[in-house]
Amino acid sequence: MLEVAGVRVDPRHWIGGERVDSAGAFTDLSPIDGALLGEVARGGAAEVDAAVAAARDAFPGWAALGPQGRGEILGRVADLVEQRLEEFAQLETRDNGSLLRSHRRGVMPRVAMNIRFFAEYAVNDLKHPEFETRGHTNVVSWDPAGVAAIITPWNAPLMLATWRIGPALASGDTVVLKPPEWAPLTASLFAELTAEAGMPPGVFNVVQGIGTEAGAALAGHPGVSRICFTGSVPTAKAVARAAADNLTPLSFELGGKSPTIVMDDADLGLAATIAAEQYDNAGQVCLAGTRLLVHESVAQEFAARLSEKVREIQQGDPRDEATDLGPQIHPVHLERIEGYVERARTEGATVVFGGERVEPVAGGFYFAPTLITDATLGSEILTQEVFGPVLTMQTFSDEEEAIALANNTDYGLAATLVCGDRPRAERIAARLVAGTVWVNCFFVRDLRAPFGGSRKSGIGREGGVWSFDFYADVKNTCFSPNGWR
Ligand code: NAD
């Protein structure tokens, strides 16, 4: 048993409703100060086999409960998350370094909502549409599919996991979760609650471990019916290859290099506020609009306003209420970010502010909020996802150029537009290649809305009915008017 931030958490796997250990372990560090939080069980093919077998055994019973029966248990899980919200918030902050105040007020309430929303959606909103064809009646249903494998990253570990666990379990699938090795602990605490809520053993399982070991074994497992992977493009390619032999259906939520476009008629105060928000979670947000594209006529004033906003950002210990910006997840990731900035500088780009490590807390992994200008078109810093507090700024002279620059990327996760004219905003938004477009706002999310990426930002959409379309087997049953006794 580990004790982290005053929370007792078991670092072993959760398989078939029991704790299971492995011979090996991996170390878990806190990004806040580099403290060693403990050793976590390091699963591989054997543990994945056991978890998939447990999930398969539990599947018929869970599927047979129906949306209502499953919904009652899932509702209790959501209640328990809410009751223990402070523990989840403290544990996650210590483990992944995101702000405690965000965990308390936004992220952990959303964890409970992820479970409750999809449980209720399955009961109230999947209405089994019917339509007539030459006197025949077609009835659409969403049937449980089997075992869903869920592989998640570290930037919002439990929120991103439950955003998939919710609809998978509500669909009647059973689940094997492989949490991220850089922030594995809240998944383990969550597993405990599923048992407390009365979820039958094997319905929800957790295999801890390294991506290329436990993750790879899960992605290639023939007993898995769905794979939902959230993470980077290179890993997605490995997951796709592993899944190919079994033709396992995939949902991919990947990275981004999203634009934040500031038009010449934009409210520049709003634009600067939105731009500064792109540093949230120390820039470790898939949706972050890290490419600032600004009309040349307002670029100077916008940059000045942004600099002013950034000066107000307090970087430090994410457990302090006053802190706005915490650490990066891991020394390896910090080095990666630093490498991107150094190479941009070497290639002639200008570092307007930031661009270096800072140490507001001794031993922690912090990088200053950074703005880069004058980068060469097509250069690494303008095309690759840094996943840190690093924004670039480019200018454009007209609408056409803004759209061309915005779409000049392999990604297509999100786009943010700051614009003073509604018809113009609609015209531009319609031409942006992105799964989500925000106009004069950022990060407004609704679980009923489709979420996902175009191009290399992902495959498929989640949220509302789109989640059920993925986790369930969608079936059409056609009844003839003839042949009835
Ligand atoms: P990553 O790809 O390194 O790892 C993600 C998960 O995959 C981890 O659990 C890891 O252990 C596992 N993994 C690693 N190798 C594997 C393999 N060969 N087979 C199976 N699993 C394997 O990503 P990361 O660094 O943890 O996360 C950052 C990335 O995630 C960024 O690109 C970010 O944009 C993306 N992300 C996307 C979304 C979204 O919804 N689109 C949300 C959050 C993060």
Side-chain angles (χ1 to χ4, degrees), residues 311-334:
R311 270 197 296 277
E312 290 165 12
I313 293 178
Q314 283 220 33
Q315 194 160 19
D317 190 320
R319 293 167 295 189
D320 295 343
E321 187 68 22
T323 297
D324 303 306
L325 196 68
Q328 312 307 137
I329 184 73
H330 195 273
V332 169
H333 190 56
L334 183 61

Side-chain angles (χ1 to χ4, degrees), residues 151-156 160 163-164 178-182 209-219 229-236 238-239 242 252-256 284-287 333 336 385 387 411 413 451-453 457 462:
I151 303 174
T152 47
W154 43 262
N155 60 322
L160 291 169
W163 158 237
R164 284 71 196 222
K178 207 302 276 172
E181 56 267 49
W182 283 351
I210 308 296
T212 47
E213 299 168 6
L218 188 56
F229 170 77
T230 310
S232 63
V233 170
T235 310
V239 169
F252 279 171
E253 297 286 0
L254 311 178
Q284 302 167 137
V285 176
C286 57
L287 294 160
H333 190 56
R336 221 183 271 159
E385 185 187 40
F387 219 54
Y411 290 103
L413 192 55
F451 177 87
S457 287
E462 296 178 81

